[in-house]
Amino acid sequence: MLALEDITVVSLESGISAPLCTRLLGDFGAEVIKVERPGVGDVNRHWDSVVDGDSSAHVWVDRNKLSVELNLKSDEGTAIFHELVDEADVVVQNYSPGVVDRLGVGYDDVVETTEDIIYLNISGYGRDGPYSDRKAYDMVMQGETGLILMNGSPDDPAKIPLSVCDINAATYGTISTLLALFHRERTGEGQELDVTMFGGMLSWLGYFPQKYWHNDELPERIGMRHHLLTPYGPHETADDQYINFAILSEAHWELLCEAVLEQPDLLCDERFATNEDRVEHRDVLEPTIESLIVDQPRDYWANRLDEVGIPWGDVNQLDDVLEHPQTDHLDLVKDLETEDGPIPYIDTPIDSDTLEFAAEPMPNLGEDTDDVLAALGYSSEEIEQLRADDVV
């Protein structure tokens, strides 16, 4: 059973945020029609060519979609877009600020003929407000929302390598679309939705705003350590590996000192009496812990931590993760069957005995244009004329 198999999504998308959102909807069974600029397509198609000539980003975010080339700057192209929307349930767009309205394909344009449409706008800052005209990309948004200056080492701030702001917006976009579909099922009403990268990332700032509001505290960059807890994080071992462990309670702290480190005197030090005390005096405690851990190999500490039940793990490279025994057990790496042969991908990480998920390969640019137009009632001759007129 594909949960969204009767839902059609028309997408005006670029980059990662909206494409990942619609890919998730496609994974859940929706028919996703990706409208692309003729001859060019989504920018994410061109970032590299490592997957048999296709880009890694395109493979990541564009499976389970149909690709239609459509020139929205032409009257005929705009008319065709409206025909697509008349047959659709959802529109998703993340074009630059104001573009869909100038093209005549914004919410106010489509709701005139499709009153129950769900129209999702994904943007950097929203459609109004002091920053509404700004373009937003993941790197820019990581800076704007404070991530860069709280991430990295004391001497060097760092960008988070994953496109976390895009992924955040895609996730909230998917959730909001599912909520709107559920609302429409109950009421028959469509609606316009706005998801912003800025607002989404603020919602992910966790406890840091509370520490600022109540303690006037700005997060310092502390590398591999934790702002709220210590000891916490990877520690180098005698064999040039890392052991990664987390002390989240006083019981864990006692076990670490007595049974793992064999340093019960640490429990008598008033500077380390509570977690807040330990964080306050981390400049003394953390070097002490590090000097003890580095004296023994990784397996020694893994066995000790495991015996007493303190959470621990390895610090893996990407290849270790992709070949991880739990990755294999959860069957997370699967193959898309394409004309160039199988392409591995990371599957949707939802385990269900009832739900199924789609797994169709990403489309070549415009490969579904003729079929989609034919489904709208266009003849072969009309389609050829549209192509001759640079509409498709």
Side-chain angles (χ1 to χ4, degrees):
M1 176 183 176
L2 296 173
L4 300 184
E5 62 186 11
D6 295 326
I7 299 298
T8 298
V9 178
V10 177
S11 187
L12 302 172
E13 58 185 32
S14 178
I16 298 297
S17 59
L20 180 56
C21 171
T22 57
R23 194 218 78 191
L24 289 168
L25 297 173
D27 288 351
F28 302 158
E31 180 182 69
V32 178
I33 301 173
K34 182 182 178 83
V35 175
E36 302 191 68
R37 180 182 170 190
V40 179
D42 194 330
V43 295
N44 69 35
R45 290 179 177 271
H46 309 291
W47 289 344
D48 61 38
S49 58
V50 300
V51 188
D52 300 322
D54 285 316
S55 90
S56 53
H58 172 54
V59 174
W60 173 33
V61 299
D62 283 333
R63 68 174 182 255
N64 296 321
K65 298 179 185 181
L66 308 176
S67 173
V68 172
E69 291 179 282
L70 193 58
N71 180 5
L72 294 175
K73 293 183 178 180
S74 67
D75 292 339
E76 297 96 330
T78 301
I80 292 171
F81 176 83
H82 282 277
E83 290 182 60
L84 290 173
V85 173
D86 286 344
E87 303 295 325
D89 302 278
V90 178
V91 174
V92 177
Q93 76 87 15
N94 73 326
Y95 282 3
S96 296
V99 169
V100 292
D101 295 321
R102 290 197 298 272
L103 292 173
V105 293
Y107 176 72
D108 290 341
D109 300 297
V110 303
V111 76
E112 292 182 5
T113 56
T114 315
E115 293 183 359
D116 64 348
I117 197 70
I118 294 164
Y119 196 108
L120 170 63
N121 301 289
I122 297 179
S123 64
Y125 301 97
R127 290 178 299 123
D128 50 32
Y131 278 52
S132 59
D133 291 336
R134 290 198 182 192
K135 296 181 180 179
Y137 300 94
D138 190 85
M139 176 70 160
V140 173
M141 197 55 63
Q142 286 199 34
E144 286 284 350
T145 57
L147 299 187
I148 289 176
L149 290 185
M150 70 173 69
N151 187 52
S153 65
D155 294 330
D156 294 300
K159 171 188 177 292
I160 298 170
L162 299 177
S163 299
V164 290
C165 302
D166 285 317
I167 296 168
N168 173 290
T171 303
Y172 278 120
T174 303
I175 293 170
S176 65
T177 301
L178 295 176
L179 288 172
L181 286 168
F182 188 56
H183 177 82
R184 192 180 70 173
E185 185 72 19
R186 286 180 162 184
T187 67
E189 299 172 351
Q191 60 182 290
E192 185 174 25
L193 301 163
D194 280 287
V195 165
T196 67
M197 298 167 74
F198 189 83
M201 290 313 303
L202 259 64
S203 77
W204 275 10
L205 289 180
Y207 38 73
F208 288 117
Q210 299 299 328
K211 291 174 74 65
Y212 171 71
W213 287 324
H214 296 284
N215 205 34
D216 199 27
E217 183 178 336
L218 295 175
E220 298 178 352
R221 293 189 297 276
I222 55 175
M224 295 190 296
R225 298 295 172 248
H226 196 290
H227 287 82
L228 199 64
L229 302 163
T230 191
Y232 193 109
H235 292 72
E236 192 169 1
T237 58
D239 50 353
D240 295 324
Q241 298 189 57
Y242 285 97
I243 189 75
N244 195 9
F245 60 89
I247 304 302
L248 284 80
S249 69
E250 294 308 309
H252 282 163
W253 171 240
E254 292 174 9
L255 286 169
L256 179 72
C257 294
E258 293 179 340
V260 178
L261 301 176
E262 297 182 344
Q263 299 289 323
D265 289 349
L266 291 173
L267 296 173
C268 302
D269 193 320
E270 293 183 358
R271 295 174 297 177
F272 312 142
T274 68
N275 180 67
E276 281 190 306
D277 293 328
R278 293 192 287 274
V279 171
E280 183 180 353
H281 297 98
R282 69 190 319 152
D283 59 329
V284 177
L285 177 61
E286 289 176 352
T288 301
I289 302 296
E290 290 164 0
S291 68
L292 295 167
I293 298 296
V294 79
D295 278 345
Q296 297 290 343
R298 174 260 181 209
D299 289 351
Y300 174 88
W301 297 116
N303 291 332
R304 288 205 158 201
L305 291 163
D306 207 37
E307 285 175 1
V308 300
I310 291 176
W312 71 275
D314 292 314
V315 179
N316 292 318
Q317 289 278 13
L318 177 61
D319 55 347
D320 299 319
V321 180
L322 296 177
E323 298 167 9
H324 198 288
Q326 197 65 23
T327 302
D328 180 63
H329 175 76
L330 295 173
D331 197 23
L332 288 172
V333 177
K334 296 184 178 176
D335 285 332
L336 288 174
E337 296 301 327
T338 75
E339 58 188 20
D340 297 314
I343 293 176
Y345 73 99
I346 309 297
D347 196 18
T348 301
I350 300 172
D351 191 6
S352 169
D353 292 333
T354 304
L355 297 173
E356 296 179 3
F357 303 100
E360 297 298 324
M362 61 286 172
N364 294 323
L365 177 60
E367 73 169 74
D368 304 292
T369 302
D370 289 12
D371 290 341
V372 170
L373 291 177
L376 291 176
Y378 287 82
S379 67
S380 298
E381 293 77 14
E382 289 172 321
I383 295 172
E384 286 307 312
Q385 187 60 51
L386 289 170
R387 186 164 283 114
D389 293 337
D390 295 325
V391 175
V392 300

